[in-house]
Amino acid sequence: MKLIFLGPPGAGKGTLAGIVSKEYGIPQISTGDIFREAIKKESELGKKVKEIVGRGDLVPDELTVSLVRERLAQPDAAGGYILDGFPRTIPQAEALDAFQHMDAVVDFAISDEVVIGRLSGREVCKSCGAIYHVKNMPSKVKGVCDRCGGQLYTRPDDSLESITNRLEVYKKQTEPLINYYRKKEILKEIDSSKSPEDTLVQIRKALGKN
Ligand code: ADP
């Protein structure tokens, strides 16, 4: 199954992609994670994208598409995958269409207000990438990952300034993809404003796996 998880920042794409990936036995491919990993390692790619990602702007299409193309050529992606955070622009979607056939696009619908609340309290594990929220989904021990014991941190692009910019960028550049995939008749719309459990039930139904 080849899936795209589409939606604004903070909609829960990453959290749900992690769960669905385990459940369906297909890898979660997150462009955001790829960029953050490169920034952490201070690789050539990391140096190129650090400022862009920190501001909440989009990495140029050409660079992003070539990374995804490489990633999808890995053997673990042969049996399907979840794209989390890609495509994010019409040119990215068109480039993907040219070499892959998607089965479904899950659109995570949510209001700006809920998104801002979620992102402004989000914490991520430095080691395994698990996602928490200081109020809605706190770790058992403050600052420590329940899953692996790693250290939790706040993403630099989860500052209020960057969150506001990411939402604007989403509306301008990414939201048009909803119509793009609706026209292709592979769009599955879900309400992601509730709990991850509730969202998971909706995704299973939308994908016909309940
Ligand atoms: P979120 O969905 O919470 O904004 P992501 O982890 O998906 O976070 O992405 C973080 C950042 O990585 C984005 O703000 C952007 O700078 C960059 N990025 C991720 N995916 C893409 C993409 N498909 N195209 C361009 N830039 C991207």
Side-chain angles (χ1 to χ4, degrees):
M1 205 172 226
K2 295 180 178 171
L3 305 174
I4 293 172
F5 281 10
L6 179 67
K13 302 182 302 287
T15 302
L16 268 298
I19 300 170
V20 174
S21 145
K22 279 202 203 91
E23 197 167 301
Y24 293 8
I26 49 178
Q28 165 189 10
I29 298 176
S30 158
T31 39
D33 285 349
I34 296 174
F35 293 137
R36 277 186 291 279
E37 189 60 35
I39 293 169
K40 195 165 88 184
K41 279 199 207 132
E42 299 181 348
S43 66
E44 276 313 303
L45 171 68
K47 284 182 206 150
K48 255 191 228 164
V49 304
K50 186 172 179 184
E51 282 189 18
I52 302 175
V53 172
R55 280 198 304 270
D57 286 333
L58 294 185
V59 173
D61 286 338
E62 211 174 304
L63 180 57
T64 308
V65 169
S66 72
L67 270 176
V68 171
R69 192 190 293 271
E70 257 173 52
R71 179 62 188 86
L72 295 185
Q74 300 293 313
D76 68 329
Y81 47 77
I82 304 171
L83 287 176
D84 157 22
F86 181 91
R88 247 178 164 91
T89 65
I90 295 280
Q92 289 182 11
E94 287 170 347
L96 180 67
D97 274 346
F99 74 102
Q100 291 282 301
H101 169 81
M102 292 296 133
D103 296 303
V105 177
V106 181
D107 174 36
F108 287 62
I110 191 164
S111 70
D112 287 2
E113 209 187 336
V114 180
V115 157
I116 292 168
R118 282 187 187 173
L119 294 181
S120 42
R122 176 159 73 177
E123 289 183 322
V124 184
C125 174
K126 254 186 192 158
S127 315
C128 76
I131 302 166
Y132 299 87
H133 188 280
V134 286
K135 272 196 241 133
N136 310 339
M137 225 202 311
S139 56
K140 289 193 187 100
V141 180
K142 196 170 179 289
V144 180
C145 179
D146 293 349
R147 205 158 81 183
C148 77
Q151 199 186 338
L152 303 187
Y153 80 110
T154 301
R155 274 169 45 176
D157 62 340
D158 279 346
S159 69
L160 195 56
E161 199 188 357
S162 182
I163 291 171
T164 315
N165 186 39
R166 278 154 64 208
L167 273 171
E168 267 172 37
V169 169
Y170 171 77
K171 288 201 175 125
K172 245 197 242 150
Q173 313 237 56
T174 312
E175 215 167 46
L177 292 177
I178 296 178
N179 249 329
Y180 180 91
Y181 288 116
R182 189 177 283 134
K183 281 191 196 138
K184 292 188 182 289
E185 299 180 355
I186 53 170
L187 191 75
K188 316 275 180 193
E189 295 177 85
I190 57 152
D191 167 10
S192 61
S193 60
K194 301 191 186 85
S195 65
E197 293 76 21
D198 180 272
T199 310
L200 178 62
V201 171
Q202 293 183 63
I203 295 175
R204 282 192 195 127
K205 261 195 205 143
L207 299 178
K209 292 209 172 187
N210 45 338

